[in-house]
């Protein structure tokens, strides 16, 4: 196995891991705010690592430039979309999940 193939394997494995973490966070976290937080961060990192694997696979080529532009696009749009979703939920009056059982005062 060449060092390039090993780098691709590590990047793909890391991307798959963070995509799995995003999916688990989406299913397990209690409310929309924590779900958007967990999913956007993990999914951005997972997709970034997968696109980095694509760039390493193709070497210096037009495909690498396209993958780099996709990573840049995802780093800009994923947090923005998560913020927009959380803001829309706040505008709708959706209360964040808390561990409080009510007012104890």
């Amino acid at each position: 196995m060449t060092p390039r193939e090993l780098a691709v394997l590590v990047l793909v494995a890391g991307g798959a891991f963070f995509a799995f973490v995003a999916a688990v966070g989406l299913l397990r976290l209690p409310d929309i705010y924590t779900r958007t937080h967990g999913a956007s961060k993990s999914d951005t990192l997972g997709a970034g690592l997968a696109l980095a694997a694509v760039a390493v696979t193709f070497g210096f080529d037009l495909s690498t430039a396209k993958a780099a532009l996709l990573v840049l696009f995802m780093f800009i749009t994923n947090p923005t979309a998560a913020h927009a979703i959380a803001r829309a939920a706040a505008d709708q009056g959706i209360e964040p999940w808390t561990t409080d059982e009510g007012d104890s005062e």
Side-chain angles (χ1 to χ4, degrees):
M1 182 175 279
T2 65
R4 185 180 202 173
E5 292 172 344
L6 184 63
V8 170
L9 180 67
V10 168
L11 289 169
V12 167
F17 171 75
F18 283 108
F20 178 74
V21 168
V24 169
L26 196 61
L27 293 174
R28 296 285 301 172
L29 292 175
D31 69 348
I32 190 166
Y33 301 106
T34 55
R35 287 178 183 164
T36 57
H37 174 78
S40 67
K41 288 185 185 295
S42 298
D43 190 44
T44 302
L45 186 57
L49 288 174
L51 286 171
V54 169
V56 170
T57 300
F58 287 118
F60 292 107
D61 193 4
L62 180 62
S63 301
T64 303
K66 290 178 182 178
L69 288 175
L70 281 172
V71 168
L72 179 67
F73 179 75
M74 291 189 65
F75 281 171
I76 293 171
T77 57
N78 277 0
T80 304
H83 178 77
I85 291 170
R87 186 174 179 119
D91 288 345
Q92 293 292 317
I94 298 173
E95 295 291 325
W97 177 81
T98 62
T99 57
D100 295 339
E101 292 292 326
D103 291 334
S104 60
E105 297 177 20

